[in-house]
Amino acid sequence: LESRSPKIFRRMALKVCVLASLVGSAAAFLAPAPQLASSALGAKSKAVPFLEANPELEAYVGGEKGFDPLGISKIYPVKYLREAEIKHGRVAMLATLGWVVADFVKLPGEVHQVSSLKAHDVAVESGAMTQILIFVFILEAIGYLGIKEMMFDESSTRAPGFYAFDPLKFKGADDAEMQLKEIENGRLAMLAFSGIVTQSALGHEAFPYC
């Protein structure tokens, strides 16, 4: 047995080598395993470096910064979220401007001689708020047609927030820089309006609300 063991060991080693060479040769004919791009694998958000960036945001102006700490863009369609962000930003910009201007310029009539904070209650009592709600309802109904086309029509090329309304000819629909300015100013206006209303409710109703 002792004389045969070296021969048996050599035979087993030879078989292992042959088997390994066959496996290596067969692997050469296999397609390489797909590799994920480095940008999509473990990419971090530029705005919040300790969170992973959602690659779907990269296709949208301003989205390449990857600010989505709550992960909302992973739950809802990004184009619907961008539509809502642009709309709220535009409303906030108008609201902020209107709130400040109304503190300096008053329309004729006793009903308008109040602060911006108290204007809501006065408008409800006078019935003006009902007119505003009807007007807003009409605008929302018209705007829903464009949103429905964007969300459910696969052939639609409508971009979020686009209503073909550009009376001052800014041509922002084709200018990424103008789109980024609108989004960032809208975000700032939403924060500004929240701050103004909060300060006014705390007793600082006059400009600069502090």
Side-chain angles (χ1 to χ4, degrees), residues 45 111 145:
S45 167
V111 69
L145 298 177

Side-chain angles (χ1 to χ4, degrees), residues 42-109:
K44 298 299 182 181
S45 167
K46 295 180 180 179
V48 190
F50 57 86
L51 295 178
E52 292 187 2
N54 186 355
E56 294 186 10
L57 295 176
E58 296 181 359
Y60 294 85
V61 174
E64 66 276 1
K65 297 179 181 178
F67 182 77
D68 185 18
L70 300 180
I72 299 177
S73 61
K74 298 179 181 179
I75 303 174
Y76 300 99
V78 179
K79 57 184 177 182
Y80 181 79
L81 296 176
R82 175 49 57 90
E83 177 80 25
E85 181 182 30
I86 293 176
K87 178 184 290 186
H88 284 82
R90 290 169 178 172
V91 171
M93 286 188 282
L94 292 173
T96 302
L97 179 63
W99 188 290
V100 175
V101 170
D103 281 341
F104 293 94
V105 181
K106 303 292 184 182
L107 296 176

Side-chain angles (χ1 to χ4, degrees), residues 145-185:
L145 298 177
I147 298 174
K148 179 181 178 182
E149 174 189 339
M150 177 186 68
M151 296 298 299
F152 302 107
D153 187 355
E154 296 181 357
S155 62
S156 175
T157 58
R158 178 187 180 273
F162 179 74
Y163 290 97
F165 181 77
D166 188 16
L168 299 180
K169 305 300 180 182
F170 285 126
K171 298 181 180 180
D174 301 322
D175 190 344
E177 183 178 358
M178 289 296 294
Q179 294 176 14
L180 181 59
K181 289 180 178 179
E182 180 185 30
I183 292 171
E184 291 184 339
N185 281 279

